[in-house]
Amino acid sequence: MTQIVRDPRFYEPRDEDDCSSYGYFCQEHDRHYWHESCGEGAHLIALHCPEHGPENMWPQPLMLMFPEGFVPPLSDLQLAWVRADGDAV
């Protein structure tokens, strides 16, 4: 399973958004993802909001712990953005 954290085509959440329900959507199988039940083979998962569609995720702790583990790797600018977010620690 590959999880998309950021994509320029996805909605960028803002502090004033009041979205209350989220799920995961498998881009590869074009259906909701729940414990690999969306189909056989590789999964490409994105956070999905019923109001906005696919959304970028807020910084995740694993991004700080293992920045070299992302494919493609986080750029210096992306890593600086993640480290600057107070919620990322």
Side-chain angles (χ1 to χ4, degrees):
M1 175 186 82
T2 301
Q3 187 169 2
I4 302 170
V5 177
R6 303 196 64 71
D7 186 305
R9 298 170 294 168
F10 290 179
Y11 179 76
E12 185 64 44
R14 298 181 303 246
D15 289 337
E16 59 269 7
D17 289 339
D18 60 353
C19 305
S20 60
S21 66
Y22 296 93
Y24 289 101
F25 192 84
C26 182
Q27 305 281 317
E28 191 71 30
H29 296 107
D30 196 32
R31 64 182 91 155
H32 289 280
Y33 177 85
W34 183 257
H35 300 289
E36 299 182 8
S37 64
C38 66
E40 296 284 327
H43 302 282
L44 186 59
I45 309 303
L47 186 64
H48 188 269
C49 167
E51 183 179 342
H52 300 113
E55 281 197 9
N56 287 322
M57 298 178 108
W58 290 102
Q60 304 295 305
L62 289 176
M63 295 172 86
L64 294 172
M65 293 170 56
F66 306 105
E68 67 282 350
F70 285 83
V71 178
L74 295 177
S75 69
D76 291 340
L77 183 62
Q78 289 171 319
L79 189 55
W81 178 82
V82 170
R83 288 182 173 150
D85 191 310
D87 293 335
V89 179

